[in-house]
Amino acid sequence: MKKSIVTLGILLSTTSFIFAQEKQPTGTTKNQDTIQSNNKTKDIEEVVIIAYGTQKRGEVTGSVGRVSAESFKDRPISRVDQALTGQIAGVKTRATSGKPGEPLEIRVRGTASISASNSPVYVVDGMVVDDMANVSPDDVQSIEVLKDAASTAMYGSRGSNGVVIVTTKKGMTGKPSFTFSQYYGVQTIEKKLDVMNSSEWIDYATESINKRWVALAPGNSASDSYEVRAKYFNLANTTNYNLANVNYMIDPRWGTNQVANIDWQDAFYRPASIQNYQLSVRGGNKNVKYAISAAYFDQEGLALNTGFNRFNLSAVVDVNISDKWKAGIALRPSYSQSYGAAVDGKDNEAHKMLSMVPIAELSAGLYTNFWKNDRYRWASSSQSPIGVLENTTNNTNEFRLLSSLYMSYDILPSLNLKISGGATNNFNLNNGYTPTFNLVTNIPGQVSIASRRTVNYNRYLGEALLSYKKTFGDHSVNVIAGYSAENYRTTSQYNRNRGFPNDDLKTFNFTQSASVLNSEYTASEWMLVSMFGRVNYDYKKKYMLSASIRRDGSSRFGWNNLWGTFAAFGGAWKIDEEEFLKDSSWLTNLKLRYSWGENGNNSIGDYRAFGTLAGGNYSFGGNLSNGLIPNTIPNPDLTWEKTRSSDFGFELGLFNRIDFTADYYIKKTNDLLLQQPIPYVTGYNIMWKNVGSVQNKGLELDLTTKNLTGAFKWNTSANIAFNNNKVLQLGTDNAPIYTGFSNTTNIIQVGEELNSFYLYEAIGVLSSADIANTGIAKTNGAIAGDVKYKDANGDGIINENDRHIIGSPTPDYYWGFTNTFSYKGFDLSVFFQGQKGGYSYALLGRAIDRPGMGTTTNVMGNWANRWRSDAEPGDGRTPRLDGTTGSLLDTRWLYDATYIQLKNVTLGYNFEQDLVNKLKISNLRVYVSLENVWRKDHYYGGYNPESVQSDGTDYGAYPNAKVYMMGLNFNF
């Protein structure tokens, strides 16, 4: 961490140097700058959104980050969450998949829970929602992230992971103002994986086949021709390659134009379009204000026949009924469609594609082992991923409606009552059809599978909020009290059948299928009831205090512990408002903050505290009868997971041109919601309990500077966040929990970071001398060319006891760095982001990068530098192709997740007003934008070091795209 802070210090010093080198303005400009410097309220008077209200920036006692719409208006983002990337210290986003329409993973101040959710709460215009998919990025006015307990405690049961508040654009007084925005772009794959090309694979397969041939019988030689080997197997026809014994015979056509040489990644991924169009109108008068918009977004996937499109509508109307009565309604329907076969993940099409041998019969080409094409004899039985993508139906249509309304009444000038309600209604329909791909041994429809899944999700919220705000001389007080009730209900139905008369319809029709594979219906429901209150006190704009309390009751917990109470308080001292600093023209802000509080987490599945039943069979009179049997053991004491946190904040503003914020926090999560093993004598093996404790400590730094303020303007924004994560307790005996791939790659252990990697440590490749040396630890049956492992416990043998902890997925720090420049009508924005430290475990890489796999699949390109002999040791890391350690999960696939990325570059031009007036519009802007421009990382085994699960493992996520885009905005 010391090195990292030194690095940040250099950054700050460099920025200060640039600022100091600017020539002092003269004449009138100097006077204007002096006036501006004395304006100490410019930034601190900015209004920010907090829980159930607003505050001026200078009055906030908690840690609140803000992103304005201006910072992402020219970026090709499909979802609001993408706007947070690299913008707020302590808020980490990850693109775990590049699949179109997929949400980002958001973590605020680290990972605090093991089994419960670590995602923040999302609030859109005051209404708690599940995600931000209903909101078009063009409708957003600002995004606030509440990070500390003083800010989030008002959301009590869900505030432990932070709160993301989205505020949309509202109506305004005046004539209707129309805004049109549009962009169109082309996407290309950000990075290809290094897999063997055809010549490298031929060399790889030739070595393997020759080894087997030589070992088959005395006198066999690697130089023996195809005809010699055919004679050995009594093959009279040496040109019918379908008769060849592929384990011992090499295809004589290799290296010629008699076979097709294929780069499967080039065929699988394509340049793809991305486009967005939005038209909005805002207007109104003193009594009625409205904001209405319609948006269409369409993104083709990089993988063939995949993509996502969405149509959004938004209508927000606010009405002043009288001097005391106000009302409003917001409707946000959206319809989206995602389509395409499953690409990312274990055994899905990207995995299969990368494993495809880069050679096929000329007659089949890209459609090898598909329809009536036989498979290439020297390849596996995998069917052409191109054919699968082009002919698989997997369409998900989703209709969402986010609706809310409110009624507000001013009981007194300082006392207001607001009643509000809202609903989230989602209907999701997935239709799938996999036709009979193999028509060599089957007829159309014979083994085809059709599926249909419907999910209905309904969420209803009602709230009553009483607020009181009054100023008494130098004293100001703001009090709120509220009550809310929420109900959630989900129903789903899933049917999957196999065998149809043909493949013409490509739809689910259970009456014509040969067999039923699945027929399921599920329903679940839960409720949350809450009471809350907060007091904010301000004395002379110098001393601020806040205190809040919330009591939540959740139906997800045991009858003995339904309720949880969560309190918080915070204080701030505006030092620059003291008499000895108040008139300082150079000091625009100096503030100290402290907050403490507790939040809860109930983000587990429904009915975890209760004993549930499952289907089972009973014997009556020698016959089996269907019935129900106990499935889980109840825990009536299951209760809230609780996070207590403290935050120490420091804010400094200089000359109205430099703003610096630092926050140090400590978060401790107790009563972890966890599935814990229990004695089998109970009749069960696991039970949901409250056990264990996890701690997060961190430092967050934010810096914004106005480096140049003349005709040529240059602003800089930088942030960096450090976080240290540690497990403090796990149940009564602190027994470790094994997680990750097959519960073998990761461990949760007291004293270590969450999901630390628990692996064999590969330290090279065994030579023949190593095999002969009894002093070197080896696996049982090891041979020269096998992976060499560290003898972690020093017992002289490599076995299960030598697995040990090697790093974790948590980075040492992550950062964002943005520079914006403007001159006359031109503006340029350059945005970098990245992280240092942490590890990613490439399970996709391992799937095509381990010894003993054979040669019927392709492998990673590093196998061109494999160990062949003591005289040809290769790169010293890649073992022999027929080694014995392929089943071990080791550090050969563990990669440093450090990366630096040029995330976005945007160049725009605002046309001169004279031209704009001639066109009878109010402004006109054109721009070009490049997204995911460049990345430097160490990740060899996958497409993206960010595309990992919470345990840090990656089984082949959909790759990210580079986007080259042009856009246009104008008002009229």
Side-chain angles (χ1 to χ4, degrees):
M1 180 177 281
K2 288 182 179 179
K3 182 178 179 181
S4 304
I5 292 179
V6 169
T7 303
L8 181 69
I10 294 172
L11 172 63
L12 300 181
S13 299
T14 303
T15 305
S16 299
F17 173 78
I18 293 172
F19 173 71
Q21 293 302 304
E22 184 185 0
K23 292 182 178 180
Q24 182 71 18
T26 59
T28 304
T29 305
K30 179 177 180 179
N31 293 334
Q32 290 172 344
D33 280 357
T34 303
I35 293 171
Q36 185 180 19
S37 296
N38 288 326
N39 179 12
K40 299 175 63 174
T41 63
K42 183 175 182 181
D43 293 323
I44 62 176
E45 290 295 309
E46 175 190 37
V47 174
V48 296
I49 309 299
I50 59 171
Y52 299 100
T54 62
Q55 272 189 310
K56 293 178 180 179
R57 170 70 71 179
E59 299 172 357
V60 174
T61 61
S63 180
V64 181
R66 187 173 193 269
V67 177
S68 68
E70 188 70 18
S71 65
F72 58 86
K73 63 182 176 62
D74 294 339
R75 289 182 55 196
I77 61 175
S78 60
R79 297 176 55 98
V80 176
D81 47 17
Q82 294 172 323
L84 292 172
T85 299
Q87 299 300 308
I88 300 176
V91 180
K92 179 170 175 53
T93 65
R94 275 200 318 209
T96 57
S97 174
K99 182 180 178 181
E102 286 293 290
L104 298 186
E105 177 191 270
I106 299 177
R107 294 291 180 264
V108 179
R109 293 187 167 178
T111 300
S113 183
I114 296 176
S115 297
S117 172
N118 284 286
S119 297
V121 178
Y122 300 105
V123 180
V124 176
D125 289 339
M127 182 179 174
V128 176
V129 297
D130 295 292
D131 56 37
M132 298 177 284
N134 274 79
V135 182
S136 169
D138 283 332
D139 286 333
V140 173
Q141 183 68 40
S142 68
I143 308 171
E144 271 86 5
V145 180
L146 314 184
K147 299 185 287 185
D148 70 319
S151 303
T152 63
M154 287 296 285
Y155 292 101
S157 63
R158 295 158 299 189
S160 59
N161 299 316
V163 180
V164 177
I165 300 179
V166 177
T167 304
T168 63
K169 297 172 182 176
K170 301 297 187 296
M172 57 187 182
T173 303
K175 294 181 179 179
S177 174
F178 291 86
T179 300
F180 177 77
S181 61
Q182 177 270 338
Y183 64 73
Y184 181 89
V186 176
Q187 309 164 93
T188 61
I189 189 170
E190 185 182 37
K191 167 187 173 182
K192 287 175 61 178
L193 283 194
D194 177 27
V195 294
M196 283 188 168
N197 59 32
S198 58
S199 61
E200 290 170 334
W201 179 84
I202 289 169
D203 175 70
Y204 175 78
T206 298
E207 179 188 346
S208 179
I209 292 171
N210 281 341
K211 279 188 174 183
R212 290 194 294 269
W213 169 251
V214 170
L216 180 64
N220 285 356
S221 169
S223 61
D224 289 341
S225 66
Y226 182 86
E227 287 73 20
V228 169
R229 303 183 193 198
K231 183 177 180 181
Y232 179 89
F233 292 110
N234 297 316
L235 301 180
N237 187 341
T238 59
T239 59
N240 185 350
Y241 302 112
N242 288 325
L243 301 176
N245 188 323
V246 297
N247 290 318
Y248 304 98
M249 300 174 67
I250 296 169
D251 189 343
R253 299 171 296 172
W254 286 349
T256 73
N257 58 6
Q258 298 178 51
V259 289
N261 299 296
I262 301 172
D263 185 323
W264 285 102
Q265 289 186 90
D266 284 349
F268 192 86
Y269 299 116
R270 54 166 180 185
S273 66
I274 181 172
Q275 54 190 315
N276 185 77
Y277 306 88
Q278 171 140 341
L279 178 64
S280 61
V281 56
R282 300 167 65 198
N285 52 43
K286 66 177 183 178
N287 293 322
V288 179
K289 298 181 179 66
Y290 58 87
I292 301 171
S293 68
Y296 175 72
F297 174 81
D298 181 78
Q299 182 179 11
E300 291 183 336
L302 293 171
L304 292 172
N305 199 33
T306 64
F308 172 82
N309 55 67
R310 181 188 63 229
F311 182 71
N312 289 81
L313 284 174
S314 176
V316 181
V317 179
D318 294 285
V319 181
N320 293 329
I321 301 173
S322 68
D323 291 340
K324 292 187 175 184
W325 285 96
K326 296 179 182 179
I329 186 170
L331 296 174
R332 292 189 175 89
S334 68
Y335 176 79
S336 64
Q337 180 185 49
S338 60
Y339 55 92
V343 172
D344 46 357
K346 185 179 185 300
D347 297 328
N348 284 329
E349 295 311 311
H351 178 187
K352 293 177 182 178
M353 174 271 297
L354 293 166
S355 302
M356 292 293 289
V357 165
I359 292 177
E361 297 289 351
L362 281 175
S363 58
L366 294 175
Y367 298 94
T368 182
N369 196 29
F370 198 81
W371 295 145
K372 293 188 177 182
N373 295 320
D374 283 316
R375 71 179 177 91
Y376 180 58
R377 288 294 311 287
W378 281 264
S380 71
S381 58
S382 292
Q383 291 163 325
S384 163
I386 307 302
V388 171
L389 286 184
E390 290 179 344
N391 293 278
T392 297
T393 298
N394 181 30
N395 297 333
T396 299
N397 301 292
E398 184 168 34
F399 174 78
R400 292 169 170 248
L401 176 61
L402 177 62
S403 54
S404 63
L405 56 87
Y406 75 88
M407 183 74 73
S408 173
Y409 176 66
D410 291 331
I411 302 171
L412 298 171
S414 56
L415 183 64
N416 175 265
L417 175 65
K418 182 179 180 182
I419 306 294
S420 60
T424 301
N425 305 103
N426 295 351
F427 175 74
N428 183 294
L429 170 64
N430 175 268
N431 283 312
Y433 192 85
T434 304
T436 301
F437 293 137
N438 183 349
L439 298 182
V440 176
T441 57
N442 301 293
I443 60 173
Q446 184 175 356
V447 293
S448 301
I449 294 177
S451 65
R452 178 183 174 88
R453 183 190 297 274
T454 60
V455 179
N456 285 284
Y457 173 74
N458 298 288
R459 174 179 185 168
Y460 301 99
L461 167 68
E463 286 185 342
L465 185 68
L466 190 65
S467 59
Y468 175 80
K469 189 173 184 179
K470 188 72 173 179
T471 299
F472 308 92
D474 293 331
H475 306 270
S476 178
V477 64
N478 188 346
V479 182
I480 65 171
Y483 175 88
S484 72
E486 299 175 59
N487 176 268
Y488 305 75
R489 180 172 175 81
T490 302
T491 60
S492 67
Q493 185 169 353
Y494 179 55
N495 300 92
R496 188 167 70 106
N497 290 17
R498 178 170 59 194
F500 295 89
N502 53 55
D503 284 326
D504 295 336
L505 276 181
K506 295 186 178 182
T507 186
F508 184 85
N509 189 336
F510 69 91
T511 61
Q512 296 183 356
S513 64
S515 60
V516 176
L517 300 179
N518 300 86
S519 182
E520 305 167 3
Y521 177 85
T522 61
S524 64
E525 185 175 14
W526 71 282
M527 295 185 66
L528 182 72
V529 177
S530 309
M531 294 156 282
F532 51 89
R534 181 181 64 211
V535 177
N536 289 336
Y537 170 75
D538 180 323
Y539 177 65
K540 288 188 173 181
K541 304 297 182 182
K542 292 191 293 187
Y543 313 110
M544 281 75 71
L545 294 173
S546 67
S548 64
I549 189 167
R550 177 165 176 142
R551 184 163 173 79
D552 288 308
S554 172
S555 65
R556 282 177 164 168
F557 294 124
W559 296 115
N560 297 337
N561 284 307
L562 291 174
W563 292 89
T565 302
F566 310 98
F569 67 85
W573 178 22
K574 283 280 292 171
I575 305 174
D576 61 297
E577 291 294 332
E578 295 290 354
E579 293 300 324
F580 60 91
L581 289 174
K582 191 172 184 179
D583 296 327
S584 301
S585 60
W586 56 274
L587 183 65
T588 51
N589 185 28
L590 180 59
K591 181 179 175 183
L592 295 179
R593 292 183 277 104
Y594 174 74
S595 65
W596 178 95
E598 185 175 60
N599 301 103
N601 192 343
N602 69 341
S603 301
I604 57 174
D606 299 333
Y607 315 121
R608 297 295 190 259
F610 308 101
T612 57
L613 301 175
N617 295 322
Y618 291 85
S619 177
F620 289 99
N623 297 316
L624 287 178
S625 299
N626 294 330
L628 295 172
I629 59 175
N631 183 44
T632 59
I633 187 170
N635 180 1
D637 295 319
L638 190 70
T639 190
W640 300 87
E641 187 175 277
K642 303 177 184 70
T643 298
R644 293 179 179 176
S645 63
S646 298
D647 183 278
F648 304 84
F650 170 76
E651 299 176 13
L652 175 66
L654 300 173
F655 308 107
N656 256 330
R657 298 178 66 177
I658 298 175
D659 287 290
F660 174 72
T661 302
D663 279 272
Y664 175 76
Y665 62 88
I666 302 174
K667 287 174 55 177
K668 185 178 180 182
T669 303
N670 298 308
D671 295 331
L672 292 172
L673 290 163
L674 193 64
Q675 282 184 295
Q676 190 175 39
I678 57 177
Y680 282 99
V681 70
T682 63
Y684 305 90
N685 60 346
I686 57 173
M687 178 182 183
W688 278 90
K689 290 186 175 182
N690 292 103
V691 292
S693 177
V694 172
Q695 179 178 268
N696 283 274
K697 292 182 179 180
L699 175 66
E700 300 166 354
L701 305 174
D702 269 289
L703 173 71
T704 59
T705 61
K706 301 173 183 176
N707 307 316
L708 298 174
T709 59
F712 179 77
K713 296 180 176 61
W714 172 24
N715 296 333
T716 297
S717 174
N719 67 81
I720 190 168
F722 305 84
N723 183 74
N724 178 264
N725 176 280
K726 182 187 290 186
V727 179
L728 302 180
Q729 183 190 2
L730 287 173
T732 55
D733 58 357
N734 286 327
I737 300 170
Y738 299 95
T739 63
F741 177 64
S742 298
N743 290 330
T744 55
T745 56
N746 301 76
I747 189 172
I748 300 174
Q749 182 172 298
V750 171
E752 304 293 340
E753 292 184 296
L754 272 176
N755 292 307
S756 294
F757 291 105
Y758 189 63
L759 306 163
Y760 293 92
E761 185 174 354
I763 57 175
V765 178
L766 292 167
S767 66
S768 297
D770 291 332
I771 296 296
N773 187 344
T774 57
I776 294 179
K778 298 172 280 291
T779 57
N780 187 29
I783 57 178
D786 272 343
V787 178
K788 186 176 185 178
Y789 293 108
K790 180 179 179 179
D791 184 11
N793 64 354
D795 64 357
I797 188 170
I798 302 299
N799 57 24
E800 175 73 14
N801 297 323
D802 290 300
R803 294 167 62 204
H804 61 285
I805 292 175
I806 309 173
S808 80
T810 305
D812 300 327
Y813 60 87
Y814 46 95
W815 54 272
F817 185 58
T818 304
N819 283 281
T820 57
F821 310 88
S822 63
Y823 179 72
K824 294 186 177 180
F826 291 94
D827 56 82
L828 174 68
S829 173
V830 182
F831 169 38
F832 285 88
Q833 59 103 207
Q835 70 178 39
K836 171 67 173 65
Y839 290 90
S840 299
Y841 198 71
L843 288 170
L844 172 67
R846 179 182 179 272
I848 54 175
D849 180 26
R850 64 182 190 272
M853 292 177 59
T855 59
T856 59
T857 60
N858 203 1
V859 293
M860 299 292 288
N862 57 276
W863 283 89
N865 295 315
R866 62 192 175 276
W867 187 95
R868 300 170 190 257
S869 66
D870 288 334
E872 296 181 86
D875 59 15
R877 182 178 182 272
T878 307
R880 60 190 293 157
L881 57 82
D882 52 351
T884 67
T885 59
S887 62
L888 301 184
L889 290 148
D890 62 46
T891 57
R892 287 186 55 243
W893 306 287
L894 186 67
Y895 296 95
D896 181 356
T898 298
Y899 73 90
I900 179 173
Q901 182 177 34
L902 178 53
K903 185 69 175 177
N904 179 265
V905 176
T906 298
L907 175 64
Y909 179 72
N910 293 285
F911 283 85
E912 294 182 359
Q913 197 62 41
D914 289 343
L915 174 62
V916 170
N917 292 338
K918 291 179 181 179
L919 296 175
K920 296 184 179 180
I921 57 179
S922 56
N923 73 338
L924 175 61
R925 173 177 171 79
V926 295
Y927 62 91
V928 293
S929 181
L930 308 179
E931 189 83 0
N932 298 327
V933 184
W934 168 83
R935 182 196 293 268
K936 175 66 176 177
D937 60 50
H938 308 288
Y939 196 44
Y940 180 73
Y943 286 111
N944 178 2
E946 290 185 286
S947 57
V948 295
Q949 304 305 309
S950 59
D951 57 17
T953 58
D954 170 24
Y955 220 125
Y958 201 111
N960 283 349
K962 290 184 179 180
V963 185
Y964 307 85
M965 187 189 77
M966 294 186 65
L968 168 72
N969 300 327
F970 63 87
N971 292 354
F972 59 95

